Amino acid sequence: MDKRKIKQTYTGQKLFFYFDENFPKKIINELKSDKGFSKKFGIRSAIDINKGKDDRQHFQYCKKLGYMLVTLDDDFVNDRKYPFGKLPGIIVLSFSKNSIGKIKIALSRIAYFLSFFPFPRIFAGDSKFQVSLTRCIMRGRDVKTRDVKTYVIKPRDTVYEVGKKFGYF
């Protein structure tokens, strides 16, 4: 996910992240106060909006409003429980809740990588991203064929290379 090799196309399209209840509040608060991050990305939190709701309700809320769900909960990778279909995207960070530093690094990498796509909501839609410090597994629908594909995004992959794998370019 090398940002140096590409030039960002500004479309005015902003990704909106919805952090579920299991996400560390400390990180959410830091992101809200980070002017650079909050300028590029909308930040919503289940703690502020939908406290006490179950995962299914968070999922439906994100679908309804077009928010990318950001979570530490691996259950969201399960396609039977949380199927593809007009899904604005899910980012699952593969860390424990106490790994604050690692979560921040991995989230920043995937967020900024997605922001370099022209029309990032279209690319991230109907996709699930399992993110760690060393790689990102993307499962999503091909833009043209609508088939679900899997691709491991490596640190040096460009927006063009990843977009091409999913028929975006």
Side-chain angles (χ1 to χ4, degrees):
M1 293 186 273
D2 188 0
K3 295 184 285 188
R4 296 171 299 186
K5 296 180 183 173
I6 54 175
K7 182 178 178 184
Q8 185 171 8
T9 303
Y10 180 74
T11 60
Q13 194 177 77
K14 191 175 190 178
L15 287 172
F16 284 86
F17 295 130
Y18 176 85
F19 296 91
D20 74 354
E21 285 185 85
N22 71 352
F23 209 84
K25 188 157 179 69
K26 178 181 179 179
I27 295 175
I28 297 167
N29 290 336
E30 285 179 20
L31 293 173
K32 285 180 179 178
S33 65
D34 181 334
K35 298 283 187 225
F37 196 88
S38 59
K39 184 179 178 182
K40 281 190 159 308
F41 308 101
I43 302 165
R44 307 291 185 267
S45 170
I47 295 168
D48 300 332
I49 302 169
N50 289 321
K51 193 169 186 165
K53 305 284 184 182
D54 66 17
D55 287 348
R56 172 81 43 208
Q57 289 170 309
H58 292 301
F59 179 74
Q60 292 302 327
Y61 181 78
C62 288
K63 281 182 77 166
K64 179 181 174 186
L65 296 177
Y67 296 160
M68 277 193 86
L69 178 65
V70 182
T71 184
L72 302 175
D73 188 350
D74 286 337
D75 288 350
F76 286 102
V77 178
N78 183 333
D79 295 339
R80 288 181 193 254
K81 284 176 78 173
Y82 304 101
F84 290 96
K86 298 189 180 170
L87 172 70
I90 296 175
I91 297 173
V92 178
L93 295 151
S94 302
F95 302 100
S96 73
K97 192 173 185 173
N98 298 328
S99 301
I100 302 290
K102 291 177 181 177
I103 293 169
K104 284 175 26 180
I105 291 168
L107 177 59
S108 291
R109 285 180 183 168
I110 190 64
Y112 284 106
F113 182 74
L114 291 173
S115 76
F116 276 87
F117 279 88
F119 305 102
R121 286 189 210 158
I122 293 170
F123 178 75
D126 258 352
S127 297
K128 297 179 182 185
F129 302 86
Q130 290 175 267
V131 184
S132 71
L133 287 179
T134 57
R135 68 180 185 168
C136 172
I137 300 170
M138 179 183 174
R139 294 191 59 250
R141 291 202 184 274
D142 185 282
V143 175
K144 295 173 187 160
T145 67
R146 305 305 296 155
D147 294 335
V148 174
K149 295 180 173 181
T150 302
Y151 181 70
V152 177
I153 303 172
K154 295 167 281 314
R156 294 279 178 203
D157 284 347
T158 65
V159 165
Y160 180 76
E161 290 167 335
V162 176
K164 194 164 171 82
K165 296 285 183 191
F166 289 89
Y168 189 75
F169 296 114

